Amino acid sequence: MDASRVSPVNLILLGPPGAGKGTQARMLEDRFGLVQLSTGDLLRAAVAAGTEAGQRAKAVMEAGDLVSDEIVIAILRDRLSQADCAGGVILDGFPRTTVQAEALDALLFDMDQGIRAAISLEVEDQAMVERISGRFTCAGCGEGYHDIHKTPAVAGVCDKCGGTEMTRRADDNAETVASRLSAYHAQTAPLIDYYDGRGVLARVDAMAEIDVVAQELSAVVRQATA
Ligand code: AMP
């Protein structure tokens, strides 16, 4: 690696669905000038656009299962190679399997980069259904809200952009959440040990209020980037 160049800060947010990865990734974007890279968002965009990958992913996502490594890695590779990612990314929802983690290591190695920290947002399974079933998003800017934990200041109006169209995800229902949680435990949770073994793991208690988690997370990121 060229020592005269500051290497990009690449972070991974690990955690089950509803742990707050998307919300916290957006906060880190603003605070640290990094780019949020959510494979879930990229896949939903591919489904909406009707691309071949989107057509293959649609039913799998609706069932709450994991989309194939091949599709997700290709989508990630494309996005990571775009210019705005050069300063560093916050990976939200990727990697989700050991195959994806190994592919990410290889991709970053080829780009002379690495992972600065993998942060596990730790939450209890019981909290997940309530968290997920109450969430909604501004269709205009993507700001996330929750019926109980984060309501807009004026009902139905986005605090950030003033938009009035709010959307709820098709897979945010009790049945699909159960499948998503079991996919997390079977395929993604082992990555906590994977990154612990590489000496880059940090754990954050994500049961607390959003602002408290954000503060703790910022402290971890500051330490990892010092
Ligand atoms: P998310 O927005 O991260 O909750 O992801 C929504 C859905 O997209 C998941 O339930 C999976 O079906 C799919 N998905 C997102 N990221 C990945 C990934 N890294 N690997 C496989 N499937 C993914």
Side-chain angles (χ1 to χ4, degrees), residues 161-177:
C161 75
T164 52
E165 194 193 336
M166 301 288 175
T167 57
R168 290 184 192 255
R169 280 172 48 174
D171 60 348
D172 277 352
N173 58 73
E175 216 171 274
T176 309
V177 169

Side-chain angles (χ1 to χ4, degrees), residues 9-218:
V9 173
N10 294 316
L11 305 171
I12 295 173
L13 290 185
L14 291 169
K21 298 187 295 297
T23 304
Q24 298 297 341
R26 285 170 72 85
M27 181 279 297
L28 291 174
E29 254 193 330
D30 292 345
R31 204 168 281 186
F32 294 93
L34 302 169
V35 169
Q36 175 189 14
L37 205 168
S38 154
T39 43
D41 285 349
L42 293 171
L43 286 165
R44 279 184 287 279
V47 171
T51 65
E52 196 201 324
Q55 285 172 25
R56 285 169 63 195
K58 189 169 186 285
V60 180
M61 292 171 76
E62 281 167 359
D65 295 329
L66 292 188
V67 174
S68 77
D69 289 328
E70 175 215 343
I71 291 180
V72 182
I73 290 166
I75 283 183
L76 186 273
R77 186 187 300 117
D78 280 358
R79 182 67 188 91
L80 203 54
S81 65
Q82 289 168 15
D84 62 329
C85 292
V89 293
I90 308 149
L91 292 167
D92 156 12
F94 186 96
R96 261 178 158 96
T97 64
T98 306
V99 171
Q100 292 178 17
E102 287 167 354
L104 177 66
D105 283 345
L107 265 175
L108 292 176
F109 182 81
D110 286 347
M111 297 164 77
D112 241 359
Q113 298 183 22
I115 294 297
R116 203 67 74 85
I119 305 163
S120 168
L121 298 182
E122 316 241 306
V123 272
E124 291 157 15
D125 273 7
Q126 301 93 291
M128 295 298 103
V129 176
E130 184 253 13
R131 278 193 180 199
I132 291 177
S133 52
R135 67 186 184 180
F136 58 96
T137 305
C138 169
C141 71
E143 184 68 3
Y145 293 98
H146 191 278
D147 292 330
I148 296 164
H149 304 295
K150 189 185 169 196
T151 52
V154 178
V157 181
C158 177
D159 296 343
K160 273 220 162 155
C161 75
T164 52
E165 194 193 336
M166 301 288 175
T167 57
R168 290 184 192 255
R169 280 172 48 174
D171 60 348
D172 277 352
N173 58 73
E175 216 171 274
T176 309
V177 169
S179 308
R180 287 160 65 199
L181 269 177
S182 60
Y184 172 79
H185 286 298
Q187 289 161 279
T188 310
L191 296 181
I192 294 175
D193 282 346
Y194 181 93
Y195 288 109
D196 200 12
R198 278 162 177 69
V200 292
L201 183 76
R203 295 174 191 269
V204 166
D205 174 9
M207 287 299 287
E209 287 298 315
I210 294 173
D211 292 350
V212 176
V213 177
Q215 272 175 22
E216 207 185 318
L217 201 49
S218 293

